[in-house]
């Protein structure tokens, strides 16, 4: 039960989105940096302002840092905070999706394009119309249709969009409460050129297997908080996410990329640090979980990416190949 070494210790990295492009692993993480901002529920301490892309020919490395792929100063609409990104490939091009606060402090999702998976990426001058909140995750299905998942409560502002319009006074509610379903992540189909939505934004419903109803707002160990990710295995769609204040990675399974998804189980127990955020990718016949913790720094806003192998049982349930040590055993 050994703890994996960080993917890199040269930079602080978090929120890793891993993909296989051209036979290589590429990782698109957040780039954490030092700040004097105190930890708070708004996430102000996560004050990132650029992205680096990493690649490796195998999970064991070596790891190449391709340098700055995109910086906040190059994006006209961005005010601050380049949070967790994702990437996709289609039509011979590569696309970087990223959330940031606009000049009014509202989180939106932008897109940037490159001819190479490592960038540099050229951003569109405006965010994707109809996008909001944080943590974009792109999935391109076998038929070529691409989707963008997004959303995060608390500092991610999803609670401000319950009516479909931004309501600033709803921010302090932080999330759904009372006798109602938890707030749902969102999904939209992407256009053929990957730069805009080709459908209306809709809820991603996560169902309780015992009732068939949506996960309840009070169920903090299973409800969605942030960090959407979608992958496909044996014809099924696996939607995974963070539970936020209970610090778990969980997943649900469905028959369509639009859901609904039925809750299955945890993937990862709490790690060192408050946040947990991940991706799941197949590479050379094996499946891997990319995630982060704070083992390098001991500070919530200075994280490092790590990798663990995943396996599936005969029923398609996910588990870690090696048991996860408890946080105090790492």
């Amino acid at each position: 039960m050994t703890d994996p070494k960080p993917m890199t210790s040269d930079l602080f990295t978090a929120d890793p989105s891993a993909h296989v492009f051209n036979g290589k692993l590429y990782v698109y993480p957040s780039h954490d940096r030092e700040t004097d901002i105190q930890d708070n529920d708004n996430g102000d301490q996560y004050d990132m302002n650029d992205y680096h892309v990493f690649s490796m020919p195998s999970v064991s490395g070596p790891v190449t840092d391709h340098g700055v792929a995109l910086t906040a100063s190059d994006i006209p609409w961005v005010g601050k905070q380049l949070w967790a990104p994702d990437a996709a490939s289609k039509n011979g091009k590569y696309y970087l999706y990223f959330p940031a606060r606009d000049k009014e402090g509202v989180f939106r999702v932008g897109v940037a394009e490159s001819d190479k998976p490592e960038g540099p990426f050229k951003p569109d001058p405006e965010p994707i119309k109809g996008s909001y909140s944080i943590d974009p995750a792109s999935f391109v299905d076998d038929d070529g249709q691409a989707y963008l998942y997004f959303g995060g409560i608390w500092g991610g502002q999803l609670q401000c969009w319950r009516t479909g319009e931004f309501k600033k006074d709803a921010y302090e509610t932080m999330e759904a409460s009372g006798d109602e379903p938890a707030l749902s992540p969102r999904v939209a189909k992407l256009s053929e050129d990957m730069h805009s939505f080709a459908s209306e934004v809709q809820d991603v419903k996560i169902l309780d297997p015992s009732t068939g109803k949506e996960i309840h707002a009070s169920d903090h160990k299973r409800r969605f908080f942030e960090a959407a990710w979608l992958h496909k295995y044996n014809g099924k769609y696996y939607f995974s996410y963070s539970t936020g204040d209970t610090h778990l990675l969980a997943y649900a399974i469905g028959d369509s990329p639009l859901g609904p998804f039925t809750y299955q189980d945890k993937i990862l127990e709490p790690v060192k640090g408050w946040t947990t955020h991940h991706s799941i990718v197949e590479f050379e016949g094996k499946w891997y979980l990319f995630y982060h913790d704070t083992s390098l720094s001991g500070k919530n806003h200075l994280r490092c990416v790590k990798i663990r192998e995943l396996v599936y049982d005969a029923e398609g349930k996910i588990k870690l190949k090696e048991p996860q040590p408890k946080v105090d055993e790492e």
Side-chain angles (χ1 to χ4, degrees), residues 75-276:
I75 312 167
W77 63 269
V78 167
K80 63 177 181 178
Q81 290 180 298
L82 295 182
W83 280 9
D86 190 22
S89 177
K90 189 175 178 180
N91 306 322
K93 301 285 187 180
Y94 299 89
Y95 304 91
L96 185 71
Y97 297 96
F98 58 92
R101 290 183 189 264
D102 64 17
K103 307 292 187 183
E104 284 72 49
V106 178
F107 271 109
R108 304 283 183 180
V109 176
V111 59
E113 183 179 310
S114 177
D115 292 325
K116 300 182 293 185
E118 67 269 25
F121 290 85
K122 182 180 179 181
D124 286 1
E126 298 291 337
I128 296 172
K129 186 177 180 181
S131 71
Y132 50 87
S133 195
I134 61 169
D135 293 355
S138 179
F139 172 76
V140 182
D141 208 349
D142 300 331
D143 62 2
Q145 178 62 59
Y147 303 81
L148 194 71
Y149 303 82
F150 57 95
I153 58 176
W154 294 23
Q157 302 178 345
L158 187 59
Q159 66 273 18
C160 299
W161 291 93
R162 297 181 71 162
T163 65
E165 296 182 359
F166 184 75
K167 303 291 185 184
K168 188 175 182 179
D169 58 2
Y171 180 80
E172 295 300 329
T173 64
M174 290 298 190
E175 59 180 299
S177 59
D179 190 14
E180 61 179 328
L183 291 178
S184 297
R186 305 290 199 264
V187 63
K189 291 183 178 180
L190 284 165
S191 59
E192 184 62 24
D193 70 2
M194 303 288 278
H195 284 262
S196 61
F197 290 158
S199 72
E200 294 295 318
V201 173
Q202 65 183 69
D203 288 355
V204 177
K205 297 188 183 298
I206 303 171
L207 307 180
D208 185 327
S210 64
T211 65
K213 297 180 179 179
E214 292 179 69
I215 297 284
H216 197 270
S218 63
D219 191 349
H220 285 211
K221 287 191 174 182
R222 296 193 299 171
R223 64 90 167 87
F224 172 83
F225 188 100
E226 62 187 2
W229 185 260
L230 193 92
H231 75 278
K232 195 173 185 179
Y233 176 77
N234 281 356
K236 297 287 187 179
Y237 297 89
Y238 288 64
F239 183 82
S240 48
Y241 57 95
S242 166
T243 63
D245 58 343
T246 50
H247 319 292
L248 303 169
L249 292 179
Y251 75 102
I253 297 178
D255 294 317
S256 162
L258 296 173
F261 300 94
T262 301
Y263 178 87
Q264 300 296 310
D265 204 351
K266 297 173 289 187
I267 301 172
L268 194 69
E269 297 285 351
V271 296
K272 290 180 179 178
W274 200 94
T275 64
T276 189

Side-chain angles (χ1 to χ4, degrees), residues 251-304:
Y251 75 102
I253 297 178
D255 294 317
S256 162
L258 296 173
F261 300 94
T262 301
Y263 178 87
Q264 300 296 310
D265 204 351
K266 297 173 289 187
I267 301 172
L268 194 69
E269 297 285 351
V271 296
K272 290 180 179 178
W274 200 94
T275 64
T276 189
H277 194 126
H278 72 299
S279 59
I280 295 171
V281 67
E282 183 183 17
F283 184 57
E284 296 183 340
K286 295 183 178 181
W287 287 87
Y288 296 94
L289 174 73
F290 284 70
Y291 66 104
H292 69 236
D293 66 20
T294 62
S295 57
L296 272 182
S297 73
K299 296 179 180 178
N300 284 330
H301 66 284
L302 298 175
R303 297 160 290 183
C304 57

